[in-house]
Structures are given as C-alpha cells and as structure tokens.
Amino acid sequence: MREKISGLSVKLIASVLLLSVLLCAAISYMGYREFTTVLEDEYNRSAYEIAETAKTYLNPDRLTYYLDTGETDPEYLEIQDKLDALVLSTNSYIIYVTRLSDNYTTSTYIFDSVHPDTGFTRYELGYTAQDMDPAYQEEVEQIMTTGERSAVYFYSYTQASGAHTTAGIPVENSAGEIVAFLGVEKAMTALENARSTYVWNVLGITVLAVALFLVVYIGFLRREVVTPILTIAGEAQRFAEDNVARLDQLEQIRKKDEIGALARVIGKMETDIVQYVENLTAVTAEKERIGAELNVATQIQADMLPRIFPPFPERNEFDIYATMTPAKEVGGDFYDFFLVDEDHLAVVMADVSGKGVPAALFMVIAKTLIKNHAQAGLAPNRVFETVNNQLCENNEAGMFVTAFLGVLELSTGRFTYVNAGHNPPLAALGGEAYDWLPSKRGFVLAGMENVRYRQQEITLRPGDRLFLYTDGVTEALDKDNALYSEARLQAFFNGADLADKTLEEQLALLRGDIAAFAAGADQADDITMLLLKINETDGRDTHG
Amino acid sequence: MTITKNLDNSALRITLEGRLDTNTAPQLEAELKNSLTGVTELDFDFSGLEYISSAGLRVLLAAQKVMNKQGKMTIGHVNETIMEVFEITGFVDILTIV
C-alpha cells in the first residue's frame, strides 16, 4: 500500500489549515482589539488624573499676567518646578499649559514640562506654535467651551516612544472664565509590549494546537479514509484487469460508514459482474450457435432448389429459369422443376406460411412429397390430394403451403395444372399479351384433410411463356407500405421490351423493377420467380 | 395492429385494425389461445384490417378448426384486397364470410 499522502488528504489538510489560519486571525484580532481598548482606557484615565493634579498647582488668575508681561516671578518658577517633578514622578511625557487662539489652531505656551528621556527641551513662556492637530480641533473647541472631557482619546504616535494618549482639560480663573488649556501627554509604552506578547501567545497556542490536531487528523485520515479507499481502488483496478471476483481485501474493511458501504457495494458489483459475464457468455455462445445453424438452414434450403442453368442442356424444346431471393429471415418459398420421364416436365411453385426454421422444415417436407408423388406419374390433382393428406398428419403447428403444380407433355404441349391456394401464374399464349392463367380455386395444402383439387388443362405452343411466382413479388412493399401488386407485375411483362432478352435477363430486369419500387424498404418476404418458355422445334407438331 | 375483444356471454367479437402479417400474427394467436375457452360464437370484424399474410391465414385456420368443434365462426366486413387473398388461397371455401 502506498504510504504517501494522497490527494484527498492534501485537500482535507489544506482545508483544516485554512480554517485554522482564519480562526487564529479572528481570535488574535478580537484579543488585540479588546486588549487595546482596556489599556488605552486605563492610560487615558491616568492621564486625566495627572492633569487634574497639575491643575491644582496652577494659579489661574496669574496666567494671563505671565503671558501679557512675558515675565516670570518666584511663584511661576515654583509652579514650574512642581510640574517638572510631576512629569518625572508620573513618568508622563509632557505636561503643558497653553492659551489657544480663537480658532483653536495656535498655542501660546505658559508652562511646558518635558520628561528628560524625551530628548526635547521645554518651550519657554510665550512660545507660540501652530501645532494643534486639525483632527482634534473640534474636540478641543468642545472642551474649551463646555469644560467637559472629550469622549475620544487624543492619540499620537512617535517613532521614538510609540503610542501616546493626551488628556486635555480647561483651566478656569476665579471668575469661572476658561483662560487656558492644560494637556498631559503620556506614552503608552506598556501597551505595545503587552499587546504584542498577547498576540504572539495567541498565535503560538493556535499554531501548536493546529499542528497537534493535524498530526492526529492525518493519522486518522490515513487509517480511516485514505487507506481503505486505496484498498478499494486497488481492488477495483485488479478486478478490471483480471475479472476475477476476490472479496478477501474488501471484507477486511469492516466499517459501518460510507466507506464500508462502498467496499460492500464494490464487492457485490464484482460478484454480479462475474455472474453477468458468465451468463452473457453462455447466451452469446447459444445465440451464435443458433445463428450459425440458421445460416446452415438457409443454405440447405437454397441448395435444395435446382440452381444449375440450363438444367437439361440436351433438351431444346423449352427454356427455363428460376431464382429465389431470400428475405433476412429464412422463409418457406420454394420452386422446383424436374423431368418426370422423357416426355413430361413438372414445374412447382410454393410458399409455406410463416417464416423461420419451422417454415423451412415444412418446406423441405412439402417439396420432397410433391416431387416423390409427381415422379410416380400421378396426375397433378392426385399429387396434391395425396400430399395434402400426408401433410395434415401430425401438423400440430397448423402450418400450410400454397402451391402450384403443372406438368407439361413435351411432345404435345399439353399442360395439366392444379392450384392449391397459390397466386395464379401469368401466361403469354398464342402471341397475346401476358394474362392470368385461369385457375380453379383450391384450398391450401395441409390446411384440411380430404380436400378435392380440380386440375385444368391448356395447350402450350412454341413461343408461349409462363411466369410462376410467390407473393413476395406482388406484396413487396415500398416505404409507404404500398404493394407492388399484380397490376404492376402484369404491366412490367407487357410494357418492357423483353423479346430479345434471355429468361435470366428478364427475371433480373423484374428484380430491378421491384427493387426500384421498394426504394430501399426492407425485403419482408422471399422473392421467388420461375419463367418457362416453349421453343420452336423441328421434330414436333407445332400446332400451327 | 390493434386487437379489440368484446365478450358477451359465450359470444366473442374480435375487431382487428392494421396489418395481420408475420410480425403481428403471433399477437392474435396468443390472444385467441387465451380467450376461446367456452366460446361458442366467434365473430371477427375486419373493417379496419388492411392486409393479411400467410401467417395471418394460418391463425385464422387454427381458429376455424377450434370453432368447428365448439361452435361457429364468422368473419365480417372483409375488404376487397383480403377477399382476393381468401379467394386465391381457397379460404373462402372453409371460412364463413358474412
């Protein structure tokens, strides 16, 4: 198992880190804010106390005098010493007393005590500077007119000593008039230090806690999430490669959480897929076998039909040509022709109901029976009566055959035929156009026992032609389900110039005409056709 | 093809619409197999039927054989195309077409 930290771990750890950083920043910021407020408040209050103390040292009624005369006296110097002492004892930055201009921008100094550590020298009496911070101007005006303390801290910052807070109070003379502004500026040195210590502590504790948590968390992730998932992934990959279900790895993950569920589902999937593949293989093999057998059936069926032309090269009294174009599924059409004896030619055209192997099997039986009985020399109607009864025996499937049988006596042209429910042939007789050969109605073969068939007789003369076919011709469909129809078939034979075409060429043309009509629509049924033509011969009565 | 059955006591009336061919004949065959028990009068209504193939004829022949034993069967409203098929195949002689 790979021990490196996976992509999933990295993502989870990154999210925990991000959360920690945010939490840490929030805690630090809130602590910083609270800490600052409390300390500043404390410093400010202390600055105000110092200011109140300093105020008691002053003699307010003399202040204007000092400024107006610019002269000091022993009392002034005594007050200045007291203020200097106060700066030192309270560790203040500056204590000053000023008179402000009417617009509160300019200060004229009366007293100015500076802490020696600041490195500044005091402003002497009467020193005037435009040094009021414009940001606090309005507040100062408020203090000087109402005598109330400001609600805001006066805050300043120097590079040398850091943050300062200033407490400013008015000084009133004995008549109650405000004559000066007393300011105490105090450095908040402890604030900076304490504050940074606090922030670093918070940071340190948070980082330590996060680090500890991460160690535990990564261990947890690896044991509870990453390793099981990698096991499942590895198992899935192994299964994809060798397709053998092996549940031992998966069963080790005995968890009740989603990962356990995943492991169980993958395990079930493996077993199911193996099962499914086995079934599919069996079904496919079976299908292939059936498919192959069906192909063989189609082939056998086709092989049963005489397909060598000319079939009787030594006989020049007639020409014969026949084709069968099977539909996609093996069907039950068949044609047949054979010499019963030297003087008699039999032609058969038939169509078994339905499709598939049952139809093909039934066709084999029907064809064999018809040929056997016809070759025994029976009259066509007797052939059908016998075959019908034989086919009716044990015909549980209820199949039937429509069939046409004709026997031509070559020496005389006498053509005896019988029709068992089959499409009547087209015949071109005595130089006339093709027309339907009159045929008496007969019931299909194998439909019902003891049916009587009536045969008919005509005489064929040289030049006469006979076309036998199955309903695959007349019932060929186009895309709109329209039938090719008897009318089109008759029109084809009478319309096309077939005089100098061989029988094979004529049937090929007809196939082409049907294909053009279907225009790509599927061929639903076998298309079977047989064309017979009587030739002019020297040694025979031409009935001329 | 749609098959509509209407059973009134022992008289079953079946109305067919569409084409009765190799694809649809098994459907009718299955319907008949399940519903001919006890039926003494079977009437087909072919007014909506456009076409019948040999597979369809086979089902009709089977139904006729069953009904020969237990009652009678008639076929009504046969159109010209189907009538032609019945005539060519000789089915007119064994069916009762009304």
Side-chain angles (χ1 to χ4, degrees):
Chain A
M1 192 53 53
R2 286 176 294 167
E3 279 302 318
K4 67 172 187 173
I5 293 175
S6 70
L8 185 63
S9 291
V10 169
K11 282 176 196 160
L12 288 171
I13 290 166
S15 64
V16 169
L17 272 179
L18 183 67
L19 185 68
S20 310
V21 167
L22 285 176
L23 207 63
C24 190
I27 291 171
S28 303
Y29 178 70
M30 282 168 65
Y32 176 89
R33 279 283 302 275
E34 186 63 18
F35 202 83
T36 306
T37 309
V38 170
L39 264 189
E40 279 184 354
D41 214 31
E42 185 58 31
Y43 271 104
N44 201 245
R45 202 174 51 76
S46 136
Y48 272 108
E49 277 170 9
I50 297 165
E52 290 297 340
T53 308
K55 193 172 158 185
T56 61
Y57 297 166
L58 301 179
N59 180 355
D61 294 339
R62 291 285 286 171
L63 295 178
T64 316
Y65 169 78
Y66 296 135
L67 266 188
D68 291 347
T69 61
E71 287 175 8
T72 60
D73 59 6
E75 189 190 7
Y76 178 92
L77 293 174
E78 190 188 331
I79 293 169
Q80 184 167 279
D81 286 345
K82 279 176 147 177
L83 289 177
D84 285 348
L86 189 61
V87 165
L88 281 176
S89 66
T90 59
N91 199 22
S92 300
Y93 199 64
I94 308 167
I95 300 176
Y96 58 88
V97 180
T98 58
R99 191 174 67 186
L100 297 173
S101 61
D102 291 342
N103 57 6
Y104 306 101
T105 57
T106 309
S107 317
T108 306
Y109 284 79
I110 304 168
F111 291 103
D112 188 31
S113 294
V114 182
H115 196 284
D117 293 353
T118 61
F120 293 133
T121 50
R122 85 167 83 237
Y123 294 145
E124 294 302 330
L125 173 63
Y127 176 84
T128 301
Q130 198 170 343
D131 60 358
M132 182 57 69
D133 188 341
Y136 296 130
Q137 211 166 301
E138 275 183 30
E139 289 298 323
V140 171
E141 181 179 356
Q142 187 80 15
I143 295 165
M144 295 302 284
T145 49
T146 65
E148 286 169 6
R149 282 190 187 181
S150 174
V152 300
Y153 301 130
F154 296 124
Y155 181 86
S156 56
Y157 187 88
T158 64
Q159 195 68 40
S161 52
H164 295 246
T165 183
T166 299
I169 55 172
V171 180
E172 301 94 358
N173 61 13
S174 52
E177 296 163 345
I178 295 170
V179 290
F181 177 82
L182 191 155
V184 176
E185 195 171 314
K186 198 165 164 49
M188 297 190 286
T189 41
L191 174 68
E192 292 289 314
N193 294 337
R195 201 161 56 181
S196 55
T197 311
Y198 175 82
V199 171
W200 281 116
N201 281 347
V202 169
L203 273 177
I205 290 169
T206 316
V207 167
L208 201 67
V210 166
L212 270 173
F213 175 75
L214 277 184
V215 169
V216 174
Y217 189 58
I218 290 171
F220 170 81
L221 275 184
R222 234 187 231 177
R223 198 177 65 249
E224 298 292 315
V225 180
V226 176
T227 308
I229 285 184
L230 285 179
T231 308
I232 293 170
E235 172 60 18
Q237 178 137 25
R238 180 203 62 72
F239 178 72
E241 277 159 14
D242 59 17
N243 284 315
V244 178
R246 257 179 36 205
L247 303 183
D248 48 335
Q249 291 272 342
L250 293 174
E251 275 166 359
Q252 280 171 20
I253 305 171
R254 294 175 201 281
K255 289 181 179 302
K256 287 203 162 66
D257 57 13
E258 290 83 348
I259 291 172
L262 179 64
R264 283 190 293 279
V265 169
I266 296 270
K268 181 165 166 25
M269 190 193 74
E270 283 189 8
T271 2
D272 287 357
I273 286 181
V274 168
Q275 181 87 46
Y276 178 73
V277 167
E278 277 171 10
N279 290 346
L280 196 66
T281 311
V283 169
T284 311
E286 182 67 10
K287 261 194 171 170
E288 275 172 7
R289 195 179 60 76
I290 292 173
E293 284 179 5
L294 272 178
N295 283 342
V296 174
T298 313
Q299 194 55 47
I300 290 175
Q301 190 192 22
D303 287 347
M304 289 192 68
L305 307 180
R307 285 193 300 177
I308 297 162
F309 297 99
F312 316 109
E314 74 284 4
R315 308 303 296 241
N316 56 2
E317 301 99 319
F318 61 92
D319 281 342
I320 193 164
Y321 193 83
T323 65
M324 182 185 76
T325 314
K328 218 181 267 175
E329 194 183 354
V330 58
D333 275 18
F334 69 94
Y335 65 80
D336 202 1
F337 52 83
F338 46 88
L339 285 171
V340 174
D341 55 40
E342 281 301 298
D343 197 28
H344 291 88
L345 171 74
V347 289
V348 184
M349 178 62 62
D351 181 2
V352 177
S353 63
K355 279 190 169 47
V357 171
L361 286 175
F362 208 74
M363 165 256 176
V364 172
I365 300 169
K367 179 175 177 293
T368 310
L369 286 177
I370 292 172
K371 186 168 182 178
N372 283 351
H373 290 296
Q375 275 189 320
L378 289 183
N381 63 338
R382 294 289 304 137
V383 172
F384 272 12
E385 281 162 12
T386 315
V387 170
N388 177 51
N389 283 344
Q390 285 178 328
L391 286 177
C392 280
E393 287 168 20
N394 303 318
N395 180 17
E396 295 301 325
M399 321 264 318
F400 63 80
V401 194
T402 68
F404 177 93
L405 167 65
V407 175
L408 175 67
E409 193 171 63
L410 295 168
S411 56
T412 61
R414 195 162 65 102
F415 184 66
T416 314
Y417 60 94
V418 61
N419 190 346
H422 198 77
N423 306 56
L426 270 174
L429 305 175
E432 296 289 322
Y434 274 97
D435 204 350
W436 308 107
L437 185 70
S439 47
K440 287 184 175 137
R441 201 161 66 204
F443 194 49
V444 296
L445 295 177
M448 206 160 276
E449 282 181 10
N450 301 323
V451 175
R452 311 299 298 174
Y453 292 96
R454 289 168 294 176
Q455 64 185 25
Q456 288 160 279
E457 204 178 288
I458 55 165
T459 302
L460 296 179
R461 294 176 172 81
D464 286 353
R465 280 150 292 156
L466 203 58
F467 176 68
L468 309 182
Y469 63 95
T470 59
D471 58 6
V473 174
T474 48
E475 292 178 8
L477 295 175
D478 69 2
K479 285 202 166 112
D480 301 324
N481 277 349
L483 300 173
Y484 183 73
S485 79
E486 282 83 359
R488 276 197 186 80
L489 178 63
Q490 191 175 7
F492 167 82
F493 274 112
N494 289 332
D497 183 13
L498 305 171
D500 54 352
K501 300 276 196 303
T502 66
L503 300 188
E504 183 177 359
E505 286 166 347
Q506 292 183 29
L507 290 188
L509 282 174
L510 177 54
R511 282 289 297 116
D513 195 52
I514 295 169
F517 171 79
D522 278 346
Q523 182 190 329
D525 205 354
D526 299 346
I527 295 180
T528 311
M529 320 186 272
L530 182 150
L531 201 50
L532 173 69
K533 184 179 171 224
I534 312 300
N535 289 334
E536 194 87 41
T537 50
D538 296 337
R540 210 185 82 183
D541 180 7
T542 59
H543 307 270
Chain B
M1 188 183 66
T2 52
I3 302 173
T4 317
K5 290 196 296 184
N6 197 341
L7 183 66
D8 181 13
N9 289 326
S10 61
L12 179 64
R13 185 169 183 78
I14 295 181
T15 309
L16 300 181
E17 277 173 275
R19 296 167 54 85
L20 184 57
D21 55 23
T22 319
N23 295 325
T24 57
Q27 203 182 325
L28 178 62
E29 190 174 16
E31 286 289 348
L32 288 174
K33 201 172 179 183
N34 294 331
S35 39
L36 284 191
T37 316
V39 171
T40 57
E41 207 174 307
L42 177 61
D43 294 317
F44 282 101
D45 183 349
F46 275 16
S47 49
L49 195 68
E50 299 155 14
Y51 171 81
I52 190 163
S53 81
S54 62
L57 292 178
R58 187 180 141 252
V59 177
L60 287 186
L61 179 58
Q64 183 66 62
K65 284 178 178 171
V66 172
M67 292 315 293
N68 283 346
K69 290 173 195 154
Q70 62 190 53
K72 61 169 189 163
M73 169 173 137
T74 59
I75 299 177
H77 304 107
V78 181
N79 76 16
E80 210 176 312
T81 319
I82 293 169
M83 198 60 202
E84 210 173 297
V85 174
F86 284 161
E87 274 169 8
I88 288 173
T89 53
F91 268 68
V92 279
D93 297 329
I94 64 133
L95 298 173
T96 312
I97 296 165
V98 294

